[in-house]
Amino acid sequence: MHTPFINIHSHNPSSSGEITIQNFISSRDRILVDEFQDYFSVGLHPWFLESEEYVRNGITAIEIFALQKNCLAIGEAGLDKVCNTPGQLQYYAFRCQVELSERLHKPMIIHQVRSPNEVIKLRKALRCTQPWVIHGFQGSFEQANQIIENGCYISLGKSLLKPTLKLLKIGEQLSCDYFFLETDNSDYSIGQIYAAASTLFKVSSEVLKEKQYDNFLRVFHPF
């Protein structure tokens, strides 16, 4: 069997030769999710929170969507210190989604900006058992290692096309067992992301595809 590309997080539909987890935002994308046939994740993004009532209504919708077999994850959800949403409201929405993830036994796709410590602190406090994937990771190897030690994975995307010194160090030291690849909302194809990752991690494209597929099966149990 030809191993497909795995695109762990995208806001765009899947293309031929790849398996994509397409992300939807609860409430805003309801009609799309109701009719969707491919794999998806659904959550409350910290950028778009309006009130606690909005969060509660969103959680109710997410729970309904998450019962679909093709819903593989909750999220993207998380904390963002740069956006305008009040921190208390972000934390409330994040915690609600974490609790839902644990109750439904669904992994999470995590959005975090300048808040890795807060994310890990909440995971520890709630004694979470479901895997989390920190998408769009741009931190250091030390931060990546801390994330992995706490039962999470990182996901890398367009930053691979212009790797920083921090990313080069990750490429030198991180095992392929602990990361995913994504396009997010970029114009790059998942093939371009894989090609850059293959160079950074010094593995062949076929080995990389096999590792990513294995990671996908282990974390998301799609079948």
Side-chain angles (χ1 to χ4, degrees), residues 54-181:
Y54 174 89
V55 171
R56 287 191 290 271
N57 290 337
I59 292 297
T60 299
I62 290 170
E63 183 164 6
I64 294 170
F65 301 146
L67 294 176
Q68 296 178 209
K69 290 184 178 180
N70 55 329
C71 179
L72 298 188
I74 305 298
E76 58 187 289
L79 303 173
D80 189 328
K81 289 185 178 179
V82 176
C83 76
N84 294 325
T85 307
Q88 186 174 358
L89 183 57
Q90 288 191 48
Y91 187 87
Y92 175 68
F94 185 30
R95 178 164 183 151
C96 286
Q97 290 175 93
V98 170
E99 291 171 346
L100 185 64
S101 159
E102 290 295 305
R103 182 155 53 85
L104 299 182
H105 306 289
K106 296 276 185 177
M108 292 194 71
I109 305 292
I110 304 294
H111 171 101
Q112 74 82 18
V113 176
R114 299 183 184 176
S115 52
N117 293 334
E118 291 87 343
V119 167
I120 295 301
K121 184 177 179 180
L122 180 61
R123 181 174 175 83
K124 289 179 176 178
L126 297 182
R127 299 181 179 179
C128 297
T129 60
Q130 290 302 302
W132 292 4
V133 179
I134 313 297
H135 103 86
F137 183 78
Q138 297 188 49
S140 65
F141 171 74
E142 289 73 22
Q143 288 174 325
N145 201 43
Q146 180 190 23
I147 287 167
I148 291 163
E149 287 177 348
N150 282 281
C152 303
Y153 298 76
I154 66 171
S155 183
L156 304 169
K158 63 182 180 181
S159 61
L160 290 165
L161 278 296
K162 296 180 180 179
T164 61
L165 291 175
K166 289 190 295 186
L167 195 51
L168 290 171
K169 185 175 180 182
I170 288 174
E172 291 173 355
Q173 300 191 46
L174 187 65
S175 165
C176 291
D177 294 331
Y178 299 112
F179 70 86
F180 287 100
L181 299 170

Side-chain angles (χ1 to χ4, degrees), residues 1 13 18 26 66 77 114 142 151 153 161 201 211:
M1 183 186 77
E18 69 181 71
S26 178
R114 299 183 184 176
E142 289 73 22
Y153 298 76
L161 278 296
F201 289 93
K211 285 285 189 180

Side-chain angles (χ1 to χ4, degrees), residues 31-72:
I31 294 174
L32 293 175
V33 174
D34 283 342
E35 300 175 352
F36 202 65
Q37 300 298 315
D38 294 329
Y39 294 129
F40 70 95
S41 61
V42 61
L44 293 170
H45 195 293
W47 292 358
F48 306 116
L49 305 175
E50 299 173 6
S51 64
E52 288 194 3
E53 181 181 5
Y54 174 89
V55 171
R56 287 191 290 271
N57 290 337
I59 292 297
T60 299
I62 290 170
E63 183 164 6
I64 294 170
F65 301 146
L67 294 176
Q68 296 178 209
K69 290 184 178 180
N70 55 329
C71 179
L72 298 188

Side-chain angles (χ1 to χ4, degrees), residues 2-22 36 38-39 183-184 186-194 209:
H2 182 69
T3 306
F5 291 112
I6 301 296
N7 188 350
I8 209 67
H9 178 72
S10 177
H11 295 277
N12 301 308
S14 180
S15 297
S16 176
E18 69 181 71
I19 293 175
T20 298
I21 300 179
Q22 187 171 345
F36 202 65
D38 294 329
Y39 294 129
T183 57
D184 195 12
S186 73
D187 293 327
Y188 294 110
S189 70
I190 194 64
Q192 289 174 293
I193 301 297
Y194 268 70
K209 288 173 77 174

